[in-house]
């Protein structure tokens, strides 16, 4: 799936992503400031998370509960030094839990990513819109 969008179309984009039945573990790629966290917040809303959502930059993971009691984990590994830190926090328990796992900066843990996952790549276009690819 490829889609070009502006930030005011995030709700529609999140619905399109979910309609494409992505795997429960989704890696988010894109430069800093391109809107990965903003998209993840909208995906959480689409899944029925009603509480506040924020970037887990310092905590590494935030946990949210959706309407149907399913859990959503949002990871931000930007400040992670190595894969051992992820293992120490119990990353395997999260990734193989069957719950949604949205991972920013997954390139910091390449050897820990489950074989079955989806990837969302976001890039900023010259006109300020974003190009999103789901694979």
């Amino acid at each position: 799936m490829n889609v070009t969008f502006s930030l005011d179309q995030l709700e529609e984009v999140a619905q399109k992503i979910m309609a494409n039945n992505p795997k429960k573990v989704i890696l988010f790629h894109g430069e800093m400031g391109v809107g990965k966290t903003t998209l993840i917040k909208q995906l959480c809303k689409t899944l029925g998370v009603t509480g506040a959502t924020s970037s887990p930059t310092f905590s590494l993971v935030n946990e949210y509960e959706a309407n149907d009691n399913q859990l959503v984990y949002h990871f931000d590994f930007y400040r992670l030094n190595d894969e051992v830190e992820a293992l120490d926090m119990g990353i395997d328990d999260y990734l193989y839990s069957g719950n949604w796992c949205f991972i920013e900066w997954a390139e910091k843990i390449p050897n820990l990513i489950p074989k079955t996952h989806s990837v969302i790549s976001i890039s900023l276009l010259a006109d300020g819109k974003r190009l999103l690819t789901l694979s």
Side-chain angles (χ1 to χ4, degrees):
M1 175 184 113
N2 290 312
V3 62
T4 300
F5 67 98
S6 59
L7 292 179
D8 63 345
Q9 296 173 301
L10 273 176
E11 184 176 350
E12 176 185 332
V13 170
Q15 290 172 356
K16 283 183 182 181
I17 290 168
M18 289 303 166
N20 273 271
N21 297 313
K23 304 298 181 195
K24 289 251 180 145
V25 175
I26 304 177
L27 315 183
F28 290 78
H29 294 293
E31 293 188 25
M32 188 167 303
V34 78
K36 297 180 300 292
T37 300
T38 303
L39 176 59
I40 289 171
K41 288 179 180 184
Q42 186 60 55
L43 288 168
C44 287
K45 285 182 185 177
T46 301
L47 290 169
V49 174
T50 56
T53 55
S54 62
S55 176
T57 302
F58 295 101
S59 62
L60 298 181
V61 62
N62 285 345
E63 178 181 317
Y64 310 113
E65 189 174 326
N67 284 343
D68 57 1
N69 295 322
Q70 71 178 330
L71 296 176
V72 179
Y73 299 113
H74 177 191
F75 300 89
D76 184 335
F77 289 133
Y78 180 74
R79 298 191 185 283
L80 197 73
N81 291 315
D82 55 40
E83 290 181 334
V84 173
E85 283 186 61
L87 289 169
D88 288 346
M89 69 175 280
I91 189 69
D92 286 344
D93 292 335
Y94 292 106
L95 296 180
Y96 296 97
S97 67
N99 294 304
W100 288 101
C101 293
F102 299 148
I103 307 172
E104 297 183 64
W105 304 103
E107 54 271 24
K108 298 266 191 152
I109 59 162
N111 299 307
L112 304 179
I113 300 297
K115 290 190 186 303
T116 303
H117 64 272
S118 293
V119 176
I120 291 179
S121 298
I122 307 171
S123 56
L124 183 61
L125 303 175
D127 62 2
K129 292 184 176 182
R130 273 70 172 169
L131 174 62
L132 179 144
T133 303
L134 169 65
S135 56

Coordinates of all heavy atoms in Angstrom, one line a residue, residues 80 90 93 99:
L80 N 18.2 3.7 22.6 CA 18.7 2.4 23.0 C 20.2 2.3 22.6 O 20.5 2.6 21.4 CB 17.9 1.3 22.3 CG 18.0 -0.1 22.9 CD1 17.3 -0.2 24.2 CD2 17.4 -1.1 21.9
G90 N 12.8 -7.2 28.5 CA 11.8 -8.2 28.2 C 11.2 -8.1 26.8 O 10.0 -8.4 26.7
D93 N 9.0 -10.8 25.4 CA 7.6 -11.0 26.0 C 6.6 -10.1 25.2 O 5.5 -10.5 25.0 CB 7.6 -10.7 27.5 CG 8.4 -11.7 28.3 OD1 8.5 -12.9 27.8 OD2 8.9 -11.4 29.4
N99 N -0.1 -9.1 21.0 CA -0.7 -7.8 21.1 C 0.0 -6.9 20.0 O 1.0 -7.2 19.4 CB -0.4 -7.2 22.4 CG -1.2 -7.9 23.5 OD1 -2.4 -8.0 23.5 ND2 -0.5 -8.4 24.5

